[in-house]
Amino acid sequence: MQLEPSRTSWRRYVALGDSFTEGLSDPDPQRPGEYRGWADRLAEHLAAAADGEVEYANLAVRGRLLPQVVAEQVPVALDARPDLVSLVAGGNDLLRPGADPDRLAAVLEDAVVRLRATGADVLLATGVDPRQTPIVRRTRGRVAVFNASLWSIAARHGAVVLDQWGAGWVQDWRMWDSDRIHLTDEGHRRTALAAATALGLPVGDDWRQPLAPQPPRALRAALAEEAAWVRGFVAPWVARRLRGRSSGDGRAAKRPVPLALARG
């Protein structure tokens, strides 16, 4: 069951989360070295559909764990008094061995309760099914448990859910950057449209269509790509974990206060 938001137009949108909401790997042509991402694109859809000015803040920072998002970003969002908040986090937590999806769900629910108490609509998102990703697919069970809890949280508190687990198009490798963790610009474009659809905005549905089929990879090329992925992304990720470091250390939110967007 997909819940309906309490309104069809919003004036102030605040996005919370990690690298997914920060926008990696969707380079922003207007800001060299920075990223655009699905939340920025969703904000543009909100502005295009609104009958007045829309303000937007993005507090997401790459590498953040769900408890960090709740502790650092939720209070800032509450102070901004938004009428729409997207809260998408937990993926970094679930990648870690021994992650407890039930504990994470409790943290998420507490944040949703606090946000909904202000009257704001809340947009959540399920995790993507990792069944096609080597190594990462070992997390599939706990991602599924977290997703099931997320749907229950949304039902209890009237949040809207962007269903990434059930999205067939997101399983196409061409939607993903070479790190296999972050979406390409096309992936972010489609995610923004899917989120807009979940919120009831009048947008097109081309995002549902799969890409044209591509020929299968040769075995040698596939093995070379797997080896390059492990060397280029898995090994550095493990090294950071062992050193207790994060890719977001020292980084600030890219859009820390709500600013008005031009209408489309």
Side-chain angles (χ1 to χ4, degrees):
M1 178 184 69
Q2 175 61 59
L3 297 173
E4 297 293 333
S6 65
R7 55 181 70 84
T8 58
S9 182
W10 295 266
R11 301 292 190 186
R12 181 172 293 169
Y13 166 41
V14 177
L16 313 180
D18 51 31
S19 59
F20 175 58
T21 298
E22 185 183 342
L24 277 67
S25 297
D26 181 14
D28 188 337
Q30 305 300 322
R31 300 179 303 153
E34 297 295 330
Y35 295 96
R36 190 179 180 192
W38 73 272
D40 286 24
R41 294 169 181 267
L42 174 60
E44 293 167 4
H45 292 306
L46 293 170
D51 56 3
E53 187 175 80
V54 172
E55 295 180 337
Y56 166 55
N58 188 317
L59 307 180
V61 177
R62 68 193 69 175
R64 290 298 191 262
L65 302 173
L66 177 57
Q68 292 175 311
V69 170
V70 171
E72 299 168 6
Q73 299 175 24
V74 168
V76 179
L78 291 171
D79 287 343
R81 301 183 65 83
D83 52 13
L84 175 64
V85 179
S86 61
L87 173 53
V88 184
N92 291 323
D93 308 73
L94 293 166
L95 284 171
R96 298 186 173 209
D100 183 348
D102 295 322
R103 182 184 65 82
L104 292 173
V107 173
L108 179 67
E109 183 161 21
D110 177 71
V112 172
V113 168
R114 292 163 62 191
L115 293 167
R116 289 290 289 144
T118 69
D121 283 319
V122 174
L123 174 66
L124 305 175
T126 63
V128 173
D129 185 348
R131 67 182 184 273
Q132 296 193 66
T133 310
I135 301 177
V136 180
R137 63 173 165 244
R138 296 180 181 180
T139 69
R140 192 182 190 215
R142 52 182 178 262
V143 173
V145 170
F146 182 70
N147 285 349
S149 295
L150 185 147
W151 280 106
S152 295
I153 291 167
R156 282 195 292 270
H157 304 293
V160 177
V161 178
L162 166 61
D163 181 17
Q164 299 188 105
W165 180 276
W169 60 266
V170 84
Q171 294 295 330
D172 190 312
W173 281 116
R174 289 168 289 181
M175 298 293 176
W176 296 89
D177 192 21
S178 55
D179 64 5
R180 304 181 183 179
I181 298 294
H182 300 109
L183 293 168
T184 61
D185 55 351
E186 175 63 10
H188 279 285
R189 184 190 75 85
R190 289 181 180 231
T191 298
L193 287 167
T197 300
L199 289 168
L201 296 182
V203 296
D205 61 357
D206 70 298
W207 58 272
R208 301 178 187 272
Q209 303 304 316
L211 296 177
Q214 61 180 345
R217 294 181 298 170
L219 178 59
R220 179 175 296 181
L223 292 174
E225 289 176 11
E226 298 301 323
W229 176 64
V230 171
R231 290 193 306 271
F233 300 102
V234 178
W237 184 86
V238 172
R240 286 197 302 272
R241 298 289 78 72
L242 292 175
R243 295 195 301 269
R245 298 183 61 185
S246 166
S247 59
D249 288 346
R251 297 193 66 90
K254 67 179 184 180
R255 196 179 176 101
V257 297
L259 297 174
L261 292 171
R263 294 183 64 188

